Amino acid sequence: MPSKFATLLVMKRLVLLGGGHSQVEVLRQWVMHPQPDTALTVVSRDLLAPYSGMLPGFIAGHYRYEDCHIDVRPLVKAAGARVCQSEIAGLDLDNGKIICPDRPDVPFDVLSINTGSRPDMEGIPGVKEYALAVKPVDIFIQGWERILAEALSSEGTYRLLIVGTGAGGVELALTMRYRLTSEAKALGQDPARFHLSVITRSDEILTTHNRSVQRRVLRALEHAAIKVHYRETVVSVEPTHLTVEEGKRHDFDALIWVTQASAPEWVKASGLATDDRGFILVNDGLQSVSHPNVFAAGDVATMESTPHPKSGVYAVRQGPYLAENLRHHLRNEPLTPFTPQTRFLSLMCLGPEEAVASKGPFAAQGRLMWAWKDYIDQKFMRKYEMGMSPMSNDDVGMSEMYCGGCGSKVGQDVLSRALSNITPYPAEGVVRGLDHPDDAAVITYPPGSQVVHTVDHFKAFVDDPYLLGQVTAHHCLSDLYAMGATPHNALASVTLPHGPEIMQEDILSDLLAGANLVLRAENTALVGGHTTEGEELVFGLTVNGYAAPEDILSKTGIQPGDALILTKPLGTGVLFAADMRKKAQAPWIAQAIASMLRSNRDAAHAFRDADAHAVTDITGFGLAGHLREMLAGSQYGAEIELDAIPLLDGALACSEAAIRSSLFPQNLNAECVIANRNTVPPHKAYPLLFDPQTSGGLLASVPGDTAEAVAKAVGGWIIGRVSDDPNLSGKFNLRQ
Ligand SMILES: Cc1cc2nc3c(=O)[nH]c(=O)nc-3n(C[C@H](O)[C@H](O)[C@H](O)COP(=O)(O)OP(=O)(O)OC[C@H]3O[C@@H](n4cnc5c(N)ncnc54)[C@H](O)[C@@H]3O)c2cc1C
């Protein structure tokens, strides 16, 4: 039976670049009115889109992280879109491709850009190195949390300097002061030791607002003991001070940069028509004036007929027009003009739950204004909480139309086009591989070696198939490394979600490109595989390798006096569980992904060279479960130092918030081998012993005399020792 989509003429690829305030609306509209003849892809550096209106409230402590971030992922899923989590490095407009630094090019027929702006940091030596820019917001939040901790743990005067006195700058100064003061009071510290100042090159603050608003905010700054330095243009920044034009110097412990918006370099280099500051010039339909298949909205765009200030309000207002005009363009219909309002309402947080309202000549202030702001912002956020389903009648009963068995195989053309983009590693001994496709792969292994096989697969736990391909490859290879084997070839097993051919092809290309990138780096040939269609994306690899019999490592064989070395921090399970609940901060996930993308090859070689008595890799059963396997049947046991166990950033915070991965309850079965589980004092890292890991590290039992050097060589941690205490045989004790 043909796939529903095979009968449709699938012609176009629409790519949304950036998940800003306008583009989340495009996604929302797409969920309600999908275009069946268009494959949708989202390229963005983050999938938790910060809502800048609530950022000052978050800094003040009025909102939690998840309150002020729109989770783009459920929208993307409901819209049936593909995700490429990446930053754009360049645009090839002639060939319709987005060039990314870390992944294959992303092709488009129609492109919609909503990547925002960043504060202008050009031409001032030292500013990029020593100042914390307010955007990207995820990096800013991470930096702010570091500054907050540093300030509260410092002694004596702590100087916080903020450059820029637009709405963003003054709101941040006021909310940072409020937060520092409330946290300091809670700790019994004197908040007066925090010295805050703002710097502006102008002779007034809030230059685009009326006098009454300026006066009110000035009063708030004065009341918060925030000093304003006027007519000072920063010319250079050093690690602990900056210098302004007349040579005057300001010392700081932390420097925040909130100056006017600047355009990204890649726009200027792309050939798109821009205004004189480098922002994309668009017509009233939000369409590039030079390239009709490119649309842009929000800070990154300038409307040729009616330029307006860079402000989230416009990005939000443009959202529905952008969605509508993309649809019109795809159907060759005339565009609907967007007319920006000349005056718009701004509501600025003053630190406590109090705000100043500003619109044209109007000004008002107080707790009521905060309540108003809070109402507007929460209403906006609620719009993007998922719970919508596509409205298209075409979709009724879609699932009944798909075949199973061989009928669910993905079309040959899709497969061959996806495969044509990759070059497998040319491993010696591949007699029949993808370069000479046959019914099966044929391999010759080195004489005298033993062949080692492993298989694993995952439902997509990251949204980007290219990333999923890479992590899966590392995870699967890790089993062979833990055995002391050399990987040689791999077979891919793919379940693609039902959808248009063009979309399946893009997803498959990304998956295979990601997996092949890692397999090539690990000298492993991709020699074949199988693709099928299903409800959701699933990817797995069978990896085959070989080893001389004497080189094979085992998970059993620990010896008394051995040290136990772990090569990667724990926490991927809890972090991705938190991520699904929108509770994980973007830098935590970025660090977890970086850890999952680290190969275990070098560590395995080092353990083999160090005559490790036992090696295993830490995956689904968690540290306790895999340690249990290592100890099983042994007459020896282990002493584990809880404080020595390395954890990924955020893992403890998520665990303390009682977030658990779905495998956690089963993994708790390993508690039965914790000899002192009833007497060991509670420890905050304890639940993480049972946290399932994806592409986790190796755990090795290494002779004690060389363990320090081996741990250093593999970048690992000694987390405990093997013990010959007969009471511990097959079990372990926890120490702290
Ligand atoms: C502290 C502060 C408070 C503010 N408060 C308000 C307010 O109350 N009201 C208001 O109207 N305005 C406010 N603003 C201004 C507001 O932040 C911006 O005008 C608004 O965010 C612009 O929205 P946007 O949709 O264009 O882009 P953004 O919201 O910045 O979104 C851009 C998106 O694109 C992604 N992206 C960026 N670069 C790339 C790249 N190279 N490749 C791939 N993806 C990329 C980002 O990850 C992000 O998802 C405030 C600004 C600050 C600094």
Side-chain angles (χ1 to χ4, degrees):
M1 190 195 297
S3 145
K4 168 182 187 260
F5 288 101
T7 59
L8 297 167
L9 202 52
V10 175
M11 294 173 302
K12 295 209 177 89
R13 287 179 164 105
L14 168 61
V15 175
L16 308 183
L17 173 60
H21 298 57
S22 322
Q23 220 111 265
V24 287
E25 179 62 18
V26 175
L27 274 170
R28 196 180 79 96
Q29 298 274 347
W30 197 273
V31 174
M32 295 188 286
H33 310 287
Q35 295 268 113
D37 59 350
T38 305
L40 186 66
T41 296
V42 177
V43 180
S44 188
R45 60 179 299 280
D46 50 46
L47 297 169
L48 278 183
Y51 175 46
S52 49
M54 291 169 88
L55 182 61
F58 168 77
I59 299 295
H62 307 319
Y63 298 120
R64 296 166 306 169
Y65 184 85
E66 59 267 33
D67 295 332
C68 55
H69 284 80
I70 299 167
D71 194 349
V72 181
R73 295 163 303 180
L75 283 167
V76 165
K77 208 164 255 172
R82 174 175 72 126
V83 170
C84 303
Q85 194 166 355
S86 184
E87 216 161 327
I88 178 177
L91 255 188
D92 177 353
L93 289 165
D94 294 337
N95 296 301
K97 283 178 182 170
I98 296 172
I99 301 155
C100 300
D102 50 358
R103 58 175 304 125
D105 299 343
V106 182
F108 64 83
D109 298 302
V110 180
L111 175 65
S112 175
I113 306 174
N114 179 214
T115 48
S117 60
R118 293 191 182 177
D120 192 358
M121 297 180 112
E122 288 310 315
I124 304 172
V127 68
K128 287 186 184 157
E129 291 82 358
Y130 307 121
L132 175 65
V134 72
K135 287 195 177 181
V137 172
D138 56 329
I139 311 273
F140 171 70
I141 288 178
Q142 198 185 17
W144 160 243
E145 288 184 344
R146 204 181 50 242
I147 290 169
L148 184 62
E150 193 181 279
L152 292 170
S153 61
S154 67
E155 281 173 11
T157 305
Y158 190 93
R159 290 147 308 182
L160 186 58
L161 197 53
I162 293 144
V163 177
T165 57
V170 293
E171 266 192 294
L172 284 184
L174 288 163
T175 49
M176 285 176 168
R177 159 64 81 197
Y178 179 77
R179 180 72 177 275
L180 281 166
T181 302
S182 36
E183 300 263 349
K185 280 185 180 162
L187 293 169
Q189 297 180 6
D190 175 13
R193 71 186 182 86
F194 303 121
H195 292 191
L196 274 75
S197 349
V198 290
I199 294 184
T200 173
R201 63 155 68 117
S202 164
D203 46 17
E204 57 185 19
I205 63 161
L206 295 170
T207 48
T208 56
H209 294 264
N210 66 59
R211 290 264 171 246
S212 171
V213 169
Q214 289 174 348
R215 271 197 304 276
R216 287 165 192 270
V217 174
L218 272 176
R219 268 203 304 274
L221 288 167
E222 200 177 324
H223 185 249
I226 299 170
K227 195 165 168 34
V228 186
H229 301 278
Y230 297 99
R231 292 172 292 280
E232 294 195 356
T233 301
V234 180
V235 289
S236 69
V237 181
E238 303 286 333
T240 54
H241 69 269
L242 58 75
T243 310
V244 298
E245 241 164 24
E246 262 104 53
K248 187 172 157 195
R249 165 185 163 143
H250 291 281
D251 293 332
F252 60 78
D253 294 291
L255 176 64
I256 313 281
W257 205 260
V258 204
T259 55
Q260 69 164 355
S262 70
E265 281 304 315
W266 60 263
V267 169
K268 295 174 205 161
S270 69
L272 283 169
T274 64
D275 69 4
D276 52 3
R277 289 168 62 199
F279 293 104
I280 303 168
L281 217 44
V282 294
N283 61 23
D284 293 356
L286 305 174
Q287 182 182 42
S288 157
V289 297
S290 58
H291 293 75
N293 64 333
V294 178
F295 288 72
D299 281 8
V300 78
T302 294
M303 293 186 67
E304 192 173 35
S305 61
T306 40
H308 50 74
K310 303 292 175 199
S311 159
V313 169
Y314 292 106
V316 169
R317 293 273 160 94
Q318 287 171 343
Y321 289 86
L322 183 63
E324 192 179 331
N325 284 339
L326 286 169
R327 234 180 4 251
H328 285 324
H329 179 76
L330 288 163
R331 294 181 190 152
N332 291 322
E333 294 166 356
L335 304 183
T336 306
F338 168 75
T339 311
Q341 58 203 126
T342 45
R343 288 173 180 173
F344 63 93
L345 174 71
S346 278
L347 287 154
M348 284 166 270
C349 178
L350 294 176
E353 291 184 347
E354 198 181 319
V356 166
S358 164
K359 185 174 183 181
F362 167 79
Q365 180 181 351
R367 294 184 67 81
L368 200 60
M369 294 303 112
W370 167 264
W372 190 13
K373 176 174 172 57
D374 182 55
Y375 169 77
I376 293 171
D377 289 341
Q378 304 269 14
K379 191 170 152 206
F380 175 78
M381 294 300 284
R382 270 199 301 277
K383 239 171 103 175
Y384 299 102
E385 280 168 11
M386 277 303 305
M388 298 170 285
S389 57
M391 287 180 178
S392 165
N393 291 333
D394 294 349
D395 289 334
V396 176
M398 201 196 308
S399 59
E400 292 155 7
M401 298 179 65
Y402 295 112
C403 300
C406 280
S408 66
K409 258 179 104 154
V410 169
Q412 217 169 13
D413 290 350
V414 170
L415 186 59
S416 45
R417 280 197 299 266
L419 285 173
S420 69
N421 295 328
I422 62 165
T423 312
Y425 177 72
E428 218 174 292
V430 177
V431 183
R432 286 273 194 283
L434 285 176
D435 49 347
H436 289 97
D438 215 314
D439 291 331
V442 181
I443 310 293
T444 307
Y445 290 100
S449 58
Q450 292 181 329
V451 184
V452 187
H453 310 278
T454 182
V455 63
D456 219 331
H457 65 253
F458 294 110
K459 284 190 204 170
F461 61 95
V462 284
D463 305 273
D464 183 341
Y466 184 64
L467 198 53
L468 179 68
Q470 292 177 65
V471 173
T472 307
H474 277 296
H475 182 96
C476 295
L477 285 160
S478 181
D479 276 331
L480 288 200
Y481 289 134
M483 294 297 296
T486 302
H488 181 272
N489 61 80
L491 298 147
S493 158
V494 187
T495 304
L496 289 172
H498 301 296
E501 262 195 21
I502 202 168
M503 181 68 99
Q504 291 190 328
E505 182 184 327
D506 286 346
I507 293 175
L508 187 59
S509 297
D510 280 359
L511 265 180
L512 295 181
N516 193 48
L517 180 81
V518 173
L519 293 174
R520 281 186 65 92
E522 306 285 324
N523 301 346
T524 304
L526 184 65
V527 292
H530 180 79
T531 50
T532 187
E533 281 189 327
E535 291 306 317
E536 58 184 323
L537 179 61
V538 181
F539 184 53
L541 287 168
T542 300
V543 186
N544 308 304
Y546 59 89
E550 62 276 16
D551 283 343
I552 299 243
L553 296 167
S554 164
K555 64 175 74 169
T556 56
I558 54 166
Q559 294 296 320
D562 278 3
L564 294 170
I565 301 176
L566 180 64
T567 64
K568 291 189 189 180
L570 303 180
T572 60
V574 71
L575 283 167
F576 280 93
D579 194 37
M580 279 168 63
R581 295 164 177 79
K582 223 173 77 166
K583 306 243 180 217
Q585 299 189 8
W588 299 347
I589 296 300
Q591 194 211 11
I593 288 173
S595 173
M596 293 193 293
L597 292 180
R598 242 179 57 223
S599 168
N600 281 329
R601 178 186 46 196
D602 293 347
H605 290 173
F607 291 143
R608 196 181 51 200
D609 295 346
D611 295 323
H613 293 125
V615 180
T616 189
D617 65 333
I618 306 300
T619 52
F621 301 152
L623 177 64
H626 289 282
L627 181 58
R628 178 191 187 183
E629 288 186 335
M630 208 179 221
L631 301 175
S634 173
Q635 63 189 108
Y636 308 118
E639 300 277 359
I640 300 294
E641 301 287 338
L642 276 165
D643 289 328
I645 295 175
L647 303 175
L648 288 164
D649 286 352
L652 207 53
C654 296
S655 174
E656 286 183 315
I659 295 169
R660 304 281 182 258
S661 158
S662 50
L663 263 182
F664 178 87
Q666 283 154 267
N667 286 354
L668 275 179
N669 290 337
E671 275 190 316
C672 63
V673 292
I674 303 176
N676 63 345
R677 67 182 180 280
N678 295 325
T679 52
V680 65
H683 191 284
K684 51 193 178 182
Y686 182 80
L688 292 163
L689 294 175
F690 310 97
D691 186 50
Q693 304 300 292
T694 301
S695 189
L698 296 180
L699 177 66
S701 186
V702 174
D705 50 348
T706 55
E708 291 281 351
V710 176
K712 198 166 168 214
V714 301
W717 294 261
I718 295 178
I719 60 161
R721 307 252 162 205
V722 174
S723 159
D724 57 4
D725 178 347
N727 297 321
L728 277 185
S729 64
K731 298 190 169 178
F732 63 92
N733 261 342
L734 293 172
R735 293 166 166 271
Q736 38 189 307

